[in-house]
Amino acid sequence: MTVPKAAFSAFSFLLAIVFNLSPVHAQQAPAVVVAPARMVDLRESVDLTGRVVATQKVDIRARVAGFLEAVDFKEGQSVKAGAMLYQVEDGAYRAAVQEIEGSIQAAEAQRDLAVLERDRARQLLTSNTISQARVDTANAEVKKAEAELVRLKGSKQSADLNLSYTRITAPFDGVLGLTTVDVGALVGPDTGPLVTLTRLDPIYVVFPVSTSLLLTYRERVQKGEMPGGANVALTLPNGTVYPLKGTIDFIASNVAQGTDTVTVRAQFDNPNTLLLDGTLVRVILEQSDKQDVLAVPQQAVQRDQQGAFVMVVDAASKVELRRIDVSRSARGLSVVSKGLKEGENVITEGVGKVRPGIVVDAAAATGG
């Protein structure tokens, strides 16, 4: 019996569906995302935790007693060295200076008189009118008058110094805190801090480095495996990267026994006072010289009992399993020391859908 052509075609179509023999389905290649192995400047780095420390910080105190006449700043204000901060009443101190100046003038007159008496006694001695004892006494009076002048001038210097202390000024450029006293308050050496002055530019960041890390670094520098020196970068508490680099200016000569770390300090310019005293920051120590290495995205590297491998897609879109040696990983990249060449594409997404030897539909990774 002859089967109609239309019935046979329908039967063939049903068989194709049942046995998954659709020509379109059989030829469909798995879709994957690939990225090329490329040379990048991937300097060795280490992340640490540090604390921002002001380069200078002092409590401003009164050095003489008196009632406060003026507060010449706004709290939180930036000031220059020598700027007026407080004025203590100075009437009594000015009077003390004037009194000593008067005593000095009187002492100068007394000395001049003693000098005249001595000179007259020396003339009379030549004519044997007076004795040598009278001359000796005149000389002693001159010395006594000169000594009194020295004493009074010393007293004036002390009085001038006390008078200058009635003007309390900023010892260096910095930012002022909150004042603890107001106009009319009685202040003096025992009053305590009047205000705190903090210098924020430049500023320090202090951080601990493990002794093992420091020793390894120095050994590698000595062997020529890496250059000396390091760039110091910061990440702020909100996750942003501080725009300026720092320089290490101090490494402690002792080890903290409780943590087995060495204290290291770096200095940063801080023109906009983004770094505040006491802030906790992340410190990134990075190799100073450029270091170009062959690297692939870290997610492309797979591992099994034999070690690390990647799935390479060749020019014909065929997949190959390639064993590689990974020396280190940083910033989302793995450094490949053996097994890949620059420009070879490795699968970064869709590895689970492929096996060596099959053809894939490869799309380039965005940004890579």
Side-chain angles (χ1 to χ4, degrees):
M1 180 174 100
T2 304
V3 180
K5 290 184 177 180
F8 181 79
S9 298
F11 181 71
S12 300
F13 180 71
L14 288 172
L15 285 176
I17 294 176
V18 171
F19 292 101
N20 199 23
L21 299 178
S22 171
V24 174
H25 182 84
Q27 295 175 1
Q28 187 174 3
V32 297
V33 177
V34 298
R38 55 194 178 95
M39 299 299 293
V40 294
D41 179 14
L42 197 62
R43 309 176 196 197
E44 295 191 50
S45 62
V46 61
D47 287 10
L48 304 164
T49 299
R51 183 79 65 179
V52 178
V53 178
T55 50
Q56 289 179 284
K57 184 176 182 179
V58 297
D59 291 331
I60 305 298
R61 299 172 181 266
R63 301 180 71 173
V64 292
F67 288 99
L68 203 61
E69 290 186 338
V71 178
D72 293 331
F73 65 89
K74 293 182 179 179
E75 295 170 321
Q77 174 186 350
S78 295
V79 294
K80 295 292 185 181
M84 185 74 167
L85 303 181
Y86 297 98
Q87 176 65 59
V88 179
E89 61 175 358
D90 61 0
Y93 298 99
R94 289 187 181 279
V97 171
Q98 291 176 354
E99 181 179 354
I100 294 174
E101 286 176 345
S103 297
I104 289 175
Q105 292 178 2
E108 287 175 342
Q110 187 64 37
R111 180 207 53 193
D112 293 343
L113 179 60
V115 169
L116 289 175
E117 291 292 338
R118 181 198 62 190
D119 293 342
R120 185 178 299 110
R122 287 175 177 175
Q123 291 177 356
L124 294 174
L125 180 63
T126 58
S127 59
N128 295 322
T129 308
I130 61 174
S131 65
Q132 180 65 44
R134 291 282 303 276
V135 175
D136 293 340
T137 301
N139 285 330
E141 290 296 328
V142 171
K143 292 181 179 180
K144 180 179 177 181
E146 290 175 344
E148 178 65 10
L149 268 177
V150 170
R151 185 188 69 80
L152 289 172
K153 287 179 179 180
S155 297
K156 183 178 184 301
Q157 288 180 349
S158 178
D160 286 338
L161 198 59
N162 286 335
L163 178 60
S164 70
Y165 289 157
T166 61
R167 299 181 72 257
I168 303 175
T169 60
F172 52 81
D173 297 354
V175 179
L176 293 164
L178 298 173
T179 182
T180 62
V181 291
D182 295 319
V183 173
L186 178 63
V187 298
D190 299 328
T191 303
L194 306 182
V195 69
T196 299
L197 178 65
T198 306
R199 185 175 184 179
L200 297 177
D201 185 25
I203 202 163
Y204 294 135
V205 174
V206 177
F207 51 95
V209 177
S210 68
T211 52
S212 60
L213 180 63
L214 184 61
L215 289 173
T216 300
Y217 165 75
R218 287 177 170 172
E219 287 175 358
R220 294 186 62 188
V221 171
Q222 189 174 9
K223 293 177 181 178
E225 296 178 0
M226 66 185 302
N231 294 327
V232 189
L234 297 178
T235 300
L236 303 180
N238 63 354
T240 60
V241 176
Y242 186 66
L244 302 177
K245 302 290 186 182
T247 55
I248 294 175
D249 69 345
F250 171 79
I251 299 177
S253 58
N254 63 301
V255 175
Q257 297 182 3
T259 58
D260 198 30
T261 58
V262 176
T263 298
V264 179
R265 188 181 71 188
Q267 181 174 302
F268 289 80
D269 288 332
N270 190 28
N272 298 320
T273 63
L274 287 177
L275 300 176
L276 299 178
D277 181 45
T279 303
L280 192 68
V281 293
R282 187 162 65 91
V283 181
I284 301 96
L285 291 181
E286 184 182 65
Q287 184 179 335
S288 59
D289 290 353
K290 186 177 181 180
Q291 186 179 28
D292 289 329
V293 293
L294 184 66
V296 295
Q298 201 166 344
Q299 66 265 31
V301 180
Q302 308 295 313
R303 295 185 184 275
D304 59 16
Q305 292 181 349
Q306 298 180 44
F309 67 91
V310 291
M311 291 296 192
V312 177
V313 178
D314 62 17
S317 296
K318 186 179 289 187
V319 177
E320 174 193 352
L321 187 149
R322 186 81 59 81
R323 296 288 172 182
I324 60 172
D325 289 342
V326 177
S327 59
R328 60 186 176 91
S329 297
R331 300 203 295 268
L333 297 173
S334 292
V335 177
V336 179
S337 57
K338 184 180 179 182
L340 276 180
K341 295 180 181 179
E342 184 179 3
E344 289 189 299
N345 286 315
V346 298
I347 297 177
T348 59
E349 295 181 29
V351 176
K353 299 184 293 183
V354 304
R355 64 182 183 275
I358 72 168
V359 175
V360 296
D361 179 14
T366 57

